[in-house]
Amino acid sequence: MSGRTLDYAALILVDTDRTRVALAQSGAALHLPAVRPGPSDGQADTAAPRIGKERLGDEPRRATAFQDAALRALYEELGHLIAHPVPNQAAMVTGPCWGRIRQHRLGPDRAALTYLGRGIDPSDATPRRHVRVFAASLSRVSNSIKRRGRADRLVWLDPARARDALRDDCLAPFLEAAPAMLGGRPRPLWVRFRAGQRLETRL
């Protein structure tokens, strides 16, 4: 891996009943909800599935920040919140998004996530992302807080069509993998590029 990379977290929302995945549409472009970890990500004192250093590509203590960022991406882009109630005595969370949601006695539902793996853009990409990719079921979306997301609309596609429509060589492989990996304990996928060729291996 050469060149500086920027950390991102992305979330693939899966409709398990119809085997479809959600993409965000802004203008004519389709994309996965993805953001960089922010100041309120990882603060909540709630349980989180552990992700080892090799699989995460970072220190395991940062797993909660990536998990929260993935959930936040879904909320900010598409307006869908995946959260659960937290006890009144739970520590407060500061900063945007999760700080505001904590005022409703809710926190990030990290247990709803399945870690699919990580992808690193080609060395000449600008920006060059190192994306941790998660999946969650549509059934875990809460109706307690509603908002309009940044995206123009949500588009449901079958995974193969979504892979073609995404036009993102780094993230596209995760779309077809998401329905089968969701809810289990899969070996995460590692996507990277060498000499212009995409490599996909298991971590």
Side-chain angles (χ1 to χ4, degrees):
M1 183 173 67
S2 62
R4 181 172 177 269
T5 60
L6 299 177
D7 288 330
Y8 277 81
L11 194 145
I12 300 174
L13 188 64
V14 182
D15 180 346
T16 55
D17 291 335
R18 300 185 181 182
T19 318
R20 303 180 303 174
V21 296
L23 295 179
Q25 182 172 352
S26 296
L30 295 171
H31 61 276
L32 273 179
V35 295
R36 299 195 66 195
S40 67
D41 298 323
Q43 287 190 32
D45 186 18
T46 56
R50 186 183 183 279
I51 306 172
K53 184 174 182 178
E54 181 181 2
R55 292 182 169 185
L56 187 65
D58 206 330
E59 294 300 323
R61 61 181 172 77
R62 292 205 66 212
T64 56
F66 287 114
Q67 290 162 345
D68 291 1
L71 293 167
R72 179 168 59 84
L74 181 71
Y75 183 55
E76 293 179 346
E77 288 285 339
L78 296 175
H80 285 333
L81 178 65
I82 297 179
H84 63 165
V86 295
N88 292 340
Q89 65 271 24
M92 295 301 295
V93 174
T94 60
C97 191
W98 294 117
R100 291 193 297 271
I101 290 171
R102 175 63 181 81
Q103 296 174 13
H104 296 273
R105 299 180 183 175
L106 295 172
D109 187 1
R110 299 166 183 156
L113 296 174
T114 298
Y115 182 56
L116 303 183
R118 55 192 177 98
I120 303 173
D121 284 324
S123 58
D124 59 351
T126 305
R128 190 181 187 209
R129 306 161 302 168
H130 188 173
V131 189
R132 281 66 174 193
V133 185
F134 298 84
S137 171
L138 176 62
S139 66
R140 302 300 290 265
V141 171
S142 167
N143 292 319
S144 56
I145 301 178
K146 288 290 189 180
R147 63 166 286 171
R148 179 178 175 83
R150 285 193 298 258
D152 296 335
R153 60 192 290 257
L154 181 154
V155 178
W156 289 104
L157 294 171
D158 102 2
R161 286 188 62 202
R163 177 174 178 148
D164 294 338
L166 185 60
R167 297 185 181 178
D168 186 327
D169 287 341
C170 179
L171 300 182
F174 295 98
L175 290 167
E176 286 190 290
M181 295 172 72
L182 182 66
R185 300 190 55 152
R187 289 184 61 193
L189 184 64
W190 184 22
V191 177
R192 64 210 187 278
F193 296 82
R194 184 175 298 162
Q197 299 298 310
R198 183 171 62 206
L199 305 177
E200 302 176 25
T201 55
R202 295 289 177 176
L203 290 167

